[in-house]
Amino acid sequence: MTLIRGIVAHAGLNPYRTRRLSVRSLIGLTRYAVASAQMLAVLSVPGYAGFIRRNMPRPVDMMVIGAQKSGTTWVHAQFQTNRLAVVSDIKECHHFDRGRLGSLRHYLRQFGDLADDRPIIEVAPDYGPLSKWRIKAIQRLFPELRLAFIARNPVTRAWSGTRMETSFDRGMPVDAVPQRDLLDHLGLPRSLRYADYAKCLQGWVDIFGSDRLRIFPFEMIEGAPSELIADLVAHASRKTTHQQQPQQTGGAVFNGNAANMHDAIRQKLRRDYLPYVPSFTAFAAPIDARFAWSQIAQDWTSDALAPQDQPEQNRHALVVCGFCPNPDANSSGQKLAFRRIEEIAARFARVDVVYFVNRLDRLDHKNAGPHWPENIGTVTAINLTWRHRMAGVMAHPRLPVFAASRRCAGRKVIERHLSNPRYSDFFADFSQGLAAIPSRSFGLFNFRQHDIVSRLYDRKAQHATGLRRAINRIESARSRRWETKAWAGALRIETLSVDDAAFIQQTCPAAEINAQAAQGTITVPAHLRTCATIIPGRLIFWGNLSRAENIDAAVRMARDLLPEIRKTIPVAHLWIVGAHPAKDVIALEGDAVHVTGFVDNPVNAFCAAAAAVVPLRFGSGVKIKVIETLDAGIPTITSEVGSEGIAENKLLISTRTDEQFIAETCKVLLRTLPM
């Protein structure tokens, strides 16, 4: 499908428009083939171009070759109504790009009465990006042809054209066209090609020479319309001025459909279309020095950067979350996700939520569910199963498993929401949330990155062997490829640490990134934790004990590190606090190790702890568990993985080796022992 769209786009047709094979389409293809063959004959058959020129009543004097949505309909109406030039009855013949009229004879007939001396002008804004061989054929047919180009701000022109074409193709008002479809249209190679005025015009200048071309700013239609029409007619007539002053017919024939330019659209236009402004004005300045192109470029840039959207409180938003947002979850990430939804709901008129439920989420599931804010509309939960993982791997073999499974499980739901024109703003929480979105729609989403998933698989591979190491390396490579594409495509990125933001910025310099320091989800009042509440030798490990990285850390702490610590501090003992302990964790229970399982409130455990230990070997991103123990005033000894992305804190002790971890833990415990 992509190849077919590319071929159609380069043929000058609109690839965004649905087409079916019919008699009419076959006739159109035949005409295109005939016109193209005749143009090739003009170039390759000796004497053929001269034969045609000798037998045509009069040659075309001038072509207005662009730009689209730059007032060319209004210009055609002025020529036609005031009889200033001979123009075709239809505004655009589309002969030299689409071959709509078949033969040159039929094309010339469109200009009707050729008896008077009025110039013959074709208004054809689609001719701008013609390929050079077609331009050369036009030059052979009309050696004295003059060219005119009306230049509109590429940003506003692209937005106007996108609104018109998507609305027209679907037979619906712009307000009914989804943001996703508008964004898709702006990303078409055809749309981008029409915006590169300098490249389009360079092809014409290479064939005809710069002296044949006149460039006019679009602003003349409003500021000096009579002068614009007079100059166009004079240029076509090879005169410096034109004697007849036109009578204005009023405003533009087609003003376009008004529509709010939402954030994702504006950002797309700034990224992809605004760079064409300086390249064009640098091209135009030496060719047509009558206008202050540098000032025009500044005005166009200012217009492109101006906000053009309605207030947030009048807009609807969609949130896609990679896990189950739940204020009562045992994983801090899910708590943060729910808090984020509450923040978004406070800003927008209505918010709809789609989230995924995996095995760990189901452990926290409560029948009542969370209490959503009042303006939360539809809430859709998508259950992930092993079938989705298998089907996703087969359907999307280049994607990491977390992305492939969610693309498979949420395909219909996500498509239904993305095709809904009600939404103006889109948010994705977790990499697993954005992973459910087709890559072509990344540009719609404000993306909050909790952790860099490829790092997780890198660290797993370091501590694995054999087949498991190979699998983790493959997943790391897939995740890194997906993350790079996601960072480059997302509207905005928010991270939970400055370190992650810096890494993403280095990988994708053009990405718009903001680091928001993560906050804990547990509050321990200062007066509750005192010297009297601290139990000498008490170490705690706090976290969701169904997660693989926490299981590994708890087992390693109890079996490998605690015995070494007890050689120096015999009273040292470990409390493993957290919900859903795995069998390996439960088996650690003994004289010096206590596994609490789920606790309604960990405040009492925090108040009794002499130190918190976090000997993580893998995982990535900011560890909320570490922030929570630090906020509670507990000295926290961690590995480098555990302290990743957390700002300096006098209570945080980051270690590189097991020996250093043991030594630092002993130092902290010694300070809590009675003298």
Side-chain angles (χ1 to χ4, degrees):
M1 181 58 68
T2 303
L3 177 62
I4 293 173
R5 283 194 170 195
I7 294 172
V8 170
H10 283 284
L13 304 176
N14 180 5
Y16 204 60
R17 191 166 299 162
T18 302
R19 290 181 172 82
R20 295 180 177 85
L21 188 62
S22 63
V23 173
R24 183 176 179 181
S25 64
L26 289 174
I27 292 174
L29 287 172
T30 302
R31 288 175 175 171
Y32 177 75
V34 169
S36 298
Q38 195 168 23
M39 293 177 72
L40 287 170
V42 166
L43 293 175
S44 57
V45 178
Y48 185 62
F51 171 78
I52 292 178
R53 288 198 302 270
R54 288 192 298 273
N55 287 276
M56 68 173 62
R58 281 177 55 195
V60 174
D61 294 296
M62 186 176 78
M63 289 182 178
V64 181
I65 56 174
Q68 281 188 326
K69 300 299 296 175
S70 296
T72 52
T73 300
W74 177 85
V75 168
H76 182 274
Q78 299 302 313
F79 291 156
Q80 191 172 50
T81 303
N82 296 310
R83 294 184 58 79
L84 300 172
V86 177
V87 294
S88 59
D89 290 333
I90 57 173
K91 179 209 162 187
E92 297 183 54
C93 294
H94 284 297
H95 178 71
F96 293 104
D97 59 341
R98 304 182 192 177
R100 183 178 289 176
L101 300 174
S103 67
L104 278 167
R105 183 186 299 273
H106 192 196
Y107 163 73
L108 292 170
R109 286 176 183 170
Q110 302 302 308
F111 296 95
D113 183 15
L114 302 178
D116 57 38
D117 62 349
R118 289 180 297 156
I120 300 174
I121 301 176
E122 182 183 4
V123 181
D126 270 17
Y127 286 0
L130 280 181
S131 55
K132 277 195 173 183
W133 75 269
R134 291 180 179 273
I135 299 173
K136 190 171 293 186
I138 293 172
Q139 193 269 341
R140 293 276 183 89
L141 291 169
F142 312 120
E144 301 301 320
L145 183 72
R146 301 297 177 108
L147 307 170
F149 188 86
I150 301 174
R152 182 180 182 182
N153 185 341
V155 172
T156 55
R157 188 218 64 80
W159 176 227
S160 179
T162 292
R163 298 200 319 262
M164 179 190 74
E165 291 198 14
T166 54
S167 175
F168 176 78
D169 293 345
R170 286 159 178 72
M172 59 177 66
V174 170
D175 290 341
V177 178
Q179 294 295 301
R180 186 267 311 271
D181 293 356
L182 294 170
L183 196 70
D184 284 351
H185 190 278
L186 288 170
L188 290 173
R190 175 179 181 272
S191 298
L192 293 164
R193 189 166 66 249
Y194 276 95
D196 193 352
Y197 300 160
K199 185 176 181 180
C200 291
L201 292 177
Q202 188 63 57
W204 289 88
V205 168
D206 289 344
I207 304 301
F208 282 92
S210 59
D211 60 311
R212 300 288 185 87
L213 175 64
R214 292 290 181 272
I215 305 174
F216 302 89
F218 173 75
E219 288 74 12
M220 286 188 72
I221 292 178
E222 181 177 353
S226 297
E227 181 182 348
L228 170 63
I229 296 300
D231 285 353
L232 285 169
V233 175
H235 182 50
S237 304
R238 301 171 179 81
K239 300 176 182 178
T240 55
T241 60
H242 194 267
Q243 298 177 355
Q244 182 179 357
Q245 291 297 319
Q247 300 295 319
Q248 301 303 317
T249 62
V253 174
F254 181 65
N255 290 308
N257 299 309
N260 291 312
M261 186 189 293
H262 295 308
D263 203 17
I265 300 298
R266 185 169 63 253
Q267 191 72 0
K268 176 72 172 177
L269 290 167
R270 288 176 182 175
R271 284 183 181 180
D272 294 353
Y273 289 82
L274 192 56
Y276 291 129
V277 171
S279 64
F280 166 68
T281 52
F283 172 86
I287 290 180
D288 201 327
R290 297 173 300 163
F291 305 102
W293 291 109
S294 59
Q295 182 60 49
I296 291 172
Q298 293 178 17
D299 294 341
W300 285 357
T301 301
S302 299
D303 290 344
L305 298 177
Q308 301 178 35
D309 206 351
Q310 58 182 328
E312 284 184 341
Q313 58 265 29
N314 298 332
R315 308 200 310 247
H316 290 189
L318 173 68
V319 177
V320 180
C321 188
F323 299 101
C324 176
N326 186 348
D328 300 318
N330 289 285
S331 293
S332 299
Q334 281 82 327
K335 294 179 182 178
L336 293 178
F338 187 83
R339 186 185 296 171
R340 176 69 177 278
I341 291 173
E342 289 182 315
E343 294 170 355
I344 294 171
R347 293 163 46 194
F348 291 88
R350 171 180 167 133
V351 178
D352 293 342
V353 179
V354 176
Y355 66 87
F356 292 84
V357 182
N358 69 358
R359 179 182 61 84
L360 301 185
D361 290 324
R362 285 190 283 273
L363 294 176
D364 288 333
H365 183 70
K366 293 180 173 59
N367 292 330
H371 179 69
W372 300 98
E374 291 183 358
N375 63 331
I376 294 294
T378 60
V379 177
T380 306
I382 302 173
N383 279 292
L384 288 171
T385 67
W386 66 270
R387 293 184 180 86
H388 294 131
R389 292 172 65 89
M390 296 300 295
V393 168
M394 290 189 292
H396 307 285
R398 292 177 59 83
L399 291 179
V401 173
F402 74 83
S405 58
R406 285 167 173 79
R407 287 283 296 275
C408 181
R411 180 176 58 85
K412 292 182 180 179
V413 173
I414 295 298
E415 173 60 28
R416 184 171 70 247
H417 281 80
L418 291 181
S419 61
N420 190 334
R422 177 175 59 196
Y423 302 120
S424 61
D425 297 81
F426 301 80
F427 299 85
D429 213 358
F430 298 97
S431 296
Q432 290 81 353
L434 189 65
I437 309 302
S439 58
R440 66 190 178 96
S441 299
F442 284 167
L444 291 170
F445 281 82
N446 296 276
F447 168 40
R448 184 165 74 165
Q449 173 106 45
H450 284 239
D451 46 36
I452 297 175
V453 182
S454 57
R455 285 181 181 170
L456 168 65
Y457 289 112
D458 281 338
R459 288 164 179 165
K460 282 186 175 182
Q462 289 174 8
H463 298 284
T465 58
L467 180 60
R468 189 174 296 274
R469 172 180 288 184
I471 292 173
N472 283 319
R473 284 178 174 172
I474 292 171
E475 278 302 288
S476 174
R478 288 172 172 169
S479 299
R480 190 174 296 108
R481 182 170 56 240
W482 179 87
E483 285 171 336
T484 302
K485 191 170 186 178
W487 296 335
L491 175 60
R492 291 186 187 86
I493 303 169
E494 180 181 317
T495 66
L496 301 183
S497 77
V498 174
D499 292 346
D500 283 355
F503 178 82
I504 295 172
Q505 194 78 75
Q506 184 179 7
T507 305
C508 299
E512 184 176 339
I513 305 173
N514 180 39
Q516 290 285 346
Q519 297 179 346
T521 59
I522 297 171
T523 301
V524 179
H527 69 276
L528 293 182
R529 177 177 162 79
T530 65
C531 293
T533 65
I534 297 173
I535 298 175
R538 173 71 56 85
L539 300 171
I540 66 165
F541 178 86
W542 156 247
N544 186 332
L545 296 170
S546 60
R547 296 181 62 90
E549 62 268 28
N550 289 340
I551 295 171
D552 175 81
V555 170
R556 201 163 70 89
M557 181 67 208
R559 291 181 178 172
D560 301 335
L561 303 177
L562 182 61
E564 297 299 320
I565 294 170
R566 283 173 60 84
K567 290 178 181 179
T568 304
I569 312 292
V571 297
H573 58 284
L574 174 67
W575 274 41
I576 301 175
V577 183
H580 318 305
K583 292 180 180 180
D584 289 346
V585 176
I586 295 173
L588 300 173
E589 181 76 34
D591 293 338
V593 178
H594 176 50
V595 180
T596 67
F598 172 77
V599 292
D600 285 327
N601 192 335
V603 170
N604 290 335
F606 280 21
C607 290
V613 287
V614 191
L616 290 170
R617 292 194 298 178
F618 48 88
S620 68
V622 176
K623 310 303 180 293
I624 306 299
K625 63 172 75 61
V626 175
I627 293 176
E628 290 170 341
T629 57
L630 293 173
D631 290 345
I634 305 173
T636 304
I637 304 96
T638 78
S639 62
E640 287 187 309
V641 175
S643 62
E644 184 176 65
I646 299 177
E648 290 186 10
N649 188 305
K650 63 181 181 180
L651 295 176
L652 178 63
I653 304 169
S654 180
T655 62
R656 293 186 176 183
T657 65
D658 287 352
E659 291 75 15
Q660 187 182 2
F661 185 94
I662 293 167
E664 294 295 339
T665 304
C666 290
K667 289 179 183 178
V668 173
L669 291 181
L670 281 171
R671 292 197 293 266
T672 65
L673 296 179
M675 299 300 293

